[in-house]
Amino acid sequence: MIPDDPTALDYRRGRSGRPLQRLKAWLKDEGTNTCWLCGRPIDMVLTAADPNHREAWTLDHRVPLSRGGDPLDPANAREAHRRCNSARGNREPRPRPNASRRW
Ligand SMILES: [Zn+2]
């Protein structure tokens, strides 16, 4: 859970800056460090060494911000590889081969 401390009052202000950094830090610590798009683990040692690496950890949003997703809602936050995140763009995530759905 998000720590219930005084600074949490500022948690939802703004799309950049400290609240987003806090959300990222929280997700890195509390998350599974597994990419929600490809299902594979994310190398946090690599991420610390090279945050811009294509296999590095990124914060993705289940509902993209361009579709009205809340950038600071932990319920909307997902962990993803940088390349998976950027490959997805604003589309719905592609189903995994073993989790296909028919619409
Ligand atoms: Zn991935």
Side-chain angles (χ1 to χ4, degrees):
M1 292 297 294
I2 301 287
D4 186 20
D5 63 32
T7 56
L9 294 173
D10 294 329
Y11 195 74
R12 288 176 169 273
R13 290 183 193 160
R15 290 195 172 205
S16 59
R18 195 166 178 212
L20 186 59
Q21 297 307 313
R22 286 173 55 83
L23 177 60
K24 287 183 178 180
W26 166 79
L27 190 59
K28 281 182 180 177
D29 285 348
E30 300 296 323
T32 58
N33 297 153
T34 301
C35 178
W36 79 292
L37 295 170
C38 74
R40 293 190 295 112
I42 303 172
D43 188 333
M44 302 310 288
V45 176
L46 168 71
T47 299
D50 183 3
N52 294 317
H53 193 284
R54 59 198 293 272
E55 298 282 340
W57 186 99
T58 60
L59 169 66
D60 192 17
H61 292 98
R62 190 179 68 80
V63 180
L65 308 191
S66 61
R67 294 189 181 186
D70 186 336
L72 299 178
D73 184 354
N76 196 34
R78 294 290 185 277
E79 301 172 280
H81 295 109
R82 180 171 298 284
R83 67 177 169 80
C84 295
N85 191 344
S86 57
R88 177 197 172 202
N90 286 331
R91 296 183 299 272
E92 291 297 312
R94 269 175 269 169
R96 295 176 210 162
N98 62 351
S100 62
R101 285 180 290 179
R102 294 183 182 278
W103 295 96

